[in-house]
């Protein structure tokens, strides 16, 4: 006698459910455990991209960006960033260069509530990441 005929309906449903669950569990990404938090350490706005925390501190006369890799400060000696500030219909492009432990630009910046910032960050000419900030 054929074994599929002998299986009960509930057994068949259980086998189908297991057959569907096993591949899904195998393809699921492992949990992303962080040993650090993403709080701003310098009073700015933090965004994480590829395990790097980018903290942007913005004022009308200074822009600073701090980078942390897995919670540890990154050496920014060979890092630069090109920022595009979008405030309402106004656009301003700014370059950030190394200044000790962070990247920095000084000048006159159009920063206001709701300003959006897109940062293209690179090291040795290779892109580290593109980061989008919404300023409060």
């Amino acid at each position: 006698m054929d074994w599929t005929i002998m299986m009960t309906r509930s057994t068949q449903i259980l086998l189908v459910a297991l057959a569907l669950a096993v591949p899904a569990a195998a393809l699921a990404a492992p949990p992303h455990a962080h040993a650090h938090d993403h709080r701003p350490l310098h009073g700015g706005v933090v965004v994480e991209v590829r395990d790097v925390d980018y903290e942007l501190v913005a004022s009308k006369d200074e822009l600073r960006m701090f980078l942390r890799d897995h919670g540890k400060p990154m050496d920014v000696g060979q890092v630069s960033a090109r920022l595009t500030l979008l405030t309402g219909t106004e656009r301003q492009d700014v370059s950030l260069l190394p200044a000790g432990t962070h990247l920095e630009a000084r000048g006159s910046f159009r920063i206001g509530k709701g300003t959006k910032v897109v940062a293209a960050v690179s090291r040795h000419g290779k892109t580290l990441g593109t980061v989008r900030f919404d300023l409060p």
Side-chain angles (χ1 to χ4, degrees), residues 13-29:
I13 291 171
L14 177 62
L15 288 175
V16 169
L18 284 173
L20 293 174
V22 170
L27 294 174

Side-chain angles (χ1 to χ4, degrees), residues 11-135:
T11 304
Q12 290 173 340
I13 291 171
L14 177 62
L15 288 175
V16 169
L18 284 173
L20 293 174
V22 170
L27 294 174
H32 190 80
H34 288 287
H36 66 282
D37 61 36
H38 304 286
R39 288 182 293 153
L41 301 179
H42 306 281
V45 175
V46 176
V47 174
E48 179 191 23
V49 175
R50 296 184 195 159
D51 294 323
V52 175
D53 289 342
Y54 297 86
E55 181 176 357
L56 180 65
V57 180
S59 68
K60 294 189 183 291
D61 58 355
E62 182 179 45
L63 298 170
R64 293 181 292 148
M65 183 183 294
F66 298 86
L67 286 70
R68 296 188 308 265
D69 187 359
H70 291 89
K72 297 178 182 161
M74 282 181 61
D75 176 10
V76 296
Q78 300 295 318
V79 178
S80 64
R82 183 82 178 150
L83 274 57
T84 301
L85 309 173
L86 303 166
T87 305
T89 60
E90 295 184 38
R91 174 187 169 132
Q92 186 177 13
D93 293 316
V94 179
S95 293
L96 298 182
L97 298 173
T101 61
H102 59 279
L103 302 175
E104 182 177 275
R106 293 180 185 261
S108 178
F109 307 110
R110 294 182 286 263
I111 301 291
K113 184 175 177 153
T115 295
K116 298 186 183 321
V117 180
V118 179
V121 183
S122 59
R123 179 189 302 161
H124 302 292
K126 294 185 180 183
T127 301
L128 281 178
T130 301
V131 189
R132 289 165 174 54
F133 298 93
D134 290 317
L135 301 182

